Amino acid sequence: MNWRDARSWAASWEWGDAPAWAAFVLAAIALWISIRAQKDGRRSANASETSATAAQESVEEARLSRMASERSATVAEETLADQRREAAERRAAEEEANRPRAQLRIEHRNAALFEIVNVGTGPAVNIRGVDVPEDVNELPECFSLEPGESQKLWVFGGFADEHVSVLKLFWDGQEGVTRVRVPPRN
């Protein structure tokens, strides 16, 4: 190339070149925008994929949370039922423990005279002797004692070895025969 004959590049322009250069600049800007849009689109697609994955995980966590809350509610209901049952059993035991009960004791008065005394807090109703020894006299077939009341009975017999030591009694409200100790004579 001959540099002497060369014209300046600005002088070599013709009016048809300016729109081509403008189109070239606009094409370059469009390319740049297109590349940016493609990156943004990729980033948006990745974000939506991440969002979809997070949503699926959130749904799974919500399902697990619901199942855990159902289990927790079931356990709470069972615990409450157990507490109510235990409270009812405790109340029933307290009521049973505080229920007035008859307690019979035989006391020696003099010689062959003894008394059956109700030292409990409740009445003894329909007291009956079971397998009453022949030495015991004047024991009614069936009698009742209020708290603090007594019933006389005579215990006859030989000397020390032949003395009646236990009297078997049964009354309403008892689960079985009660053995009541007969004290020795003074």
Side-chain angles (χ1 to χ4, degrees):
M1 175 165 190
N2 189 358
W3 290 103
R4 236 178 344 154
D5 293 334
R7 295 183 286 166
S8 76
W9 66 272
S12 66
W13 268 20
E14 293 181 14
W15 281 107
D17 290 337
W21 281 105
F24 174 74
V25 170
L26 288 176
I29 292 172
L31 177 66
W32 180 76
I33 290 173
S34 172
I35 291 171
R36 291 279 306 204
Q38 185 181 14
K39 286 181 182 176
D40 287 345
R42 232 183 278 135
R43 211 177 353 204
S44 176
N46 289 342
S48 72
E49 187 177 316
T50 303
S51 176
T53 303
Q56 288 175 345
E57 290 173 358
S58 176
V59 166
E60 181 65 19
E61 288 177 8
R63 186 183 65 79
L64 293 175
S65 176
R66 178 184 52 83
M67 289 171 54
S69 67
E70 288 173 357
R71 282 193 303 267
S72 176
T74 302
V75 168
E77 289 172 359
E78 290 171 357
T79 302
L80 182 60
D82 288 345
Q83 288 174 346
R84 286 181 178 165
R85 182 180 39 77
E86 288 172 2
E89 289 172 357
R90 190 172 39 253
R91 274 193 304 274
E94 288 173 359
E95 288 173 2
E96 180 64 23
N98 294 332
R99 180 178 61 91
R101 297 186 194 296
Q103 183 179 358
L104 300 182
R105 181 171 55 197
I106 298 177
E107 296 178 355
H108 180 248
R109 293 295 174 222
N110 64 17
L113 179 62
F114 290 83
E115 285 185 341
I116 300 175
V117 181
N118 183 356
V119 294
T121 57
V125 180
N126 296 328
I127 303 170
R128 297 172 299 284
V130 178
D131 298 331
V132 178
E134 295 176 6
D135 293 347
V136 177
N137 295 321
E138 294 187 24
L139 179 64
E141 191 171 310
C142 184
F143 62 99
S144 297
L145 293 175
E146 291 295 320
E149 287 185 342
S150 63
Q151 170 68 40
K152 292 181 183 179
L153 68 127
W154 294 89
V155 179
F156 296 104
F159 293 99
D161 291 340
E162 298 175 14
H163 177 70
V164 175
S165 63
V166 172
L167 192 58
K168 297 177 187 174
L169 300 175
F170 179 79
W171 60 92
D172 292 350
Q174 285 297 102
E175 293 180 10
V177 174
T178 302
R179 297 170 55 94
V180 182
R181 182 182 161 279
V182 177
R185 298 178 190 171
N186 294 340

